[in-house]
Amino acid sequence: MFSLVKVAGKARAVLNGAPVLTGATQKLTNRGTLNWEQTGVSWSRLMSGKSFNVPPSAEFVARVSGIATMCKLPFQETADGLDAAFVGVPIDTGTSNRPGTRFGPRHIRAESAMIRLYNGWTRAAPYESIKVADLGDVNVNLFDLKQSCRIIRETYQKIVATGCIPLTLGGDHTIAYPILQAVAERHGPVGLIHVDAHADTSDMILGEKIGHGTPFRRCVDEGLLDCKRVVQIGLRGSGYCPDNYEWSRAQGFRVVEVVECWHKSLVPLMEEVRSQMGSGPVYLSFDIDSLDPAFAPGTGTPEIAGLTPVQGLEIIRGCRGLNLVGCDLVEVSPPYDTTGNTALLGANLLFEMLCVLPNVKYY
């Protein structure tokens, strides 16, 4: 356990009984925002008087130590008292091509040990603003996709009922459907920013209505989306008909095909998207295969000529100021991710999502 003792007026951090830091304070206290009343990794902040969960710094605690939670945050059984929470949904039963996304949450968490406390470019300070923890994984049934969707929906109903914003580690894209069922039950029809190589609006695949190619069709069927506030970014690849996105456009979705994104910054696009979304509730769904497979090869249905990681950051950072009520990062398939770079990308994109949630402080 990571704890703190005072020795001759100086602070000393202790990990499992062994001192790991001697000095007046850690660098964070120089901002005047922390005191050293600490239990585990929850520090009391002088600026607000509230207690927030703060990951241990890799300056003093080895990244490879401890149980692998997202960003080395504490694990919590329920969402009670949290402003936001990371949740894993380890499933690939809805996958149509290469499997393996059931291992996505585990590998994303492992790679997230690299992520520090502050966003170096945007200067976001999520751990000084909102209380965050890792809720672990939804216990899905890998043999029954429909039952898994029910389990996911019921789990997220409990999470969002507390006012907590879920940040989901997928898992294949099927999971967006039951998550949005729970989110829309609380907030009403939501706007959607969907970043993906594929529209995921098929009606049926191999005779089944539920799979990773159908979630947003099912969401429209059930009235979960405010269709005038839906944008799909990065779509590309071969299709089953001459206009693969005709159905999306017919619902009122804005479709931004990847060719519209090549060789340019997406900052202007996101200014338009923010205007489209307005002040209503918004859900962000980010499929890792939206990125070019040169950057993110570890996914089940890769398509060439995709977005760059820089453009992915521009999209997420462009969501700052929106009323985000949930986010997901899906389709990381570790068996095809030999370097770990896809999971590393996924972990960083999830941290960026955390940084643009409502009420996050910026320096």
Side-chain angles (χ1 to χ4, degrees):
M1 193 66 177
F2 188 65
S3 59
L4 189 95
V5 296
K6 287 272 192 173
V7 180
K10 294 185 178 182
R12 175 169 298 195
V14 176
L15 180 64
N16 294 330
V20 294
L21 167 66
T22 301
T25 55
Q26 204 184 72
K27 276 197 284 188
L28 280 172
T29 59
N30 294 334
R31 297 186 182 276
T33 59
L34 299 179
N35 63 29
W36 282 109
E37 295 170 6
Q38 183 187 22
T39 303
V41 289
S42 182
W43 292 340
S44 175
R45 295 187 176 276
L46 297 175
M47 56 179 269
S48 66
K50 294 182 179 179
S51 178
F52 296 99
N53 294 327
V54 183
S57 172
E59 296 170 289
F60 312 111
V61 180
R63 287 191 173 99
V64 295
S65 67
I67 297 170
T69 58
M70 186 65 186
C71 296
K72 304 201 78 171
L73 284 160
F75 167 75
Q76 187 165 311
E77 289 279 356
T78 72
D80 294 336
L82 298 178
D83 300 299
F86 292 103
V87 188
V89 186
I91 193 169
D92 56 9
T93 317
T95 302
S96 62
N97 192 40
R98 305 191 306 200
T101 55
R102 67 181 64 186
F103 303 111
R106 182 178 301 176
H107 285 254
I108 291 169
R109 286 186 174 103
E111 295 295 341
S112 75
M114 270 295 298
I115 298 173
R116 302 170 185 87
L117 301 180
Y118 296 92
N119 191 314
W121 180 252
T122 67
R123 301 177 72 81
Y127 305 120
E128 289 190 18
S129 324
I130 58 177
K131 191 168 185 179
V132 194
D134 189 326
L135 298 184
D137 291 337
V138 178
N139 186 23
V140 294
N141 183 346
L142 295 175
F143 300 105
D144 190 330
L145 185 56
K146 291 183 177 66
Q147 185 188 29
S148 287
C149 286
R150 178 182 59 78
I151 293 168
I152 295 165
R153 181 184 71 249
E154 292 173 353
T155 301
Y156 277 75
Q157 285 171 333
K158 294 175 183 177
I159 293 170
V160 300
T162 68
C164 176
I165 300 173
L167 298 157
T168 302
L169 294 65
D172 73 59
H173 220 153
T174 309
I175 68 176
Y177 166 48
I179 293 171
L180 280 164
Q181 285 180 314
V183 168
E185 181 180 309
R186 177 174 176 85
H187 297 283
V190 298
L192 173 69
I193 300 173
H194 173 209
V195 190
D196 204 326
H198 313 97
D200 292 350
T201 54
S202 296
D203 186 28
M204 299 183 76
I205 298 177
L206 299 177
E208 294 293 331
K209 283 186 170 286
I210 297 177
H212 76 160
T214 69
F216 301 115
R217 184 74 161 244
R218 300 287 80 81
C219 289
V220 171
D221 289 347
E222 297 182 17
L224 309 180
L225 302 179
D226 179 355
C227 292
K228 297 184 181 64
R229 295 193 304 122
V230 175
V231 59
Q232 297 182 299
I233 304 173
L235 306 189
R236 64 189 188 275
S238 54
Y240 298 112
C241 60
D243 185 354
N244 216 28
Y245 316 120
E246 180 180 7
W247 189 89
S248 290
R249 294 188 176 99
Q251 311 315 304
F253 296 3
R254 178 176 181 180
V255 175
V256 182
E257 296 185 51
V258 78
V259 292
E260 303 173 58
C261 304
W262 287 347
H263 313 302
K264 65 176 68 172
S265 168
L266 300 188
V267 170
L269 169 65
M270 291 310 297
E271 291 175 358
E272 297 173 2
V273 170
R274 285 196 301 276
S275 177
Q276 177 185 356
M277 296 296 150
S279 60
V282 179
Y283 187 86
L284 171 62
S285 188
F286 198 114
D287 190 323
I288 201 72
D289 72 25
S290 63
L291 304 182
D292 191 273
F295 303 108
T299 191
T301 49
E303 303 282 0
I304 66 166
L307 301 173
T308 68
V310 170
Q311 291 173 316
L313 290 182
E314 289 178 326
I315 292 169
I316 295 174
R317 292 176 181 179
C319 293
R320 181 182 174 186
L322 294 178
N323 181 18
L324 287 171
V325 294
C327 307
D328 66 49
L329 187 288
V330 298
E331 298 285 358
V332 171
S333 183
Y336 297 93
D337 189 26
T338 55
T339 64
N341 283 351
T342 310
L344 179 64
L345 263 172
N348 278 274
L349 293 175
L350 282 158
F351 176 72
E352 294 283 342
M353 292 175 190
L354 174 66
C355 289
V356 296
L357 293 185
N359 301 318
V360 167
K361 172 184 176 180
Y362 282 73
Y363 275 102

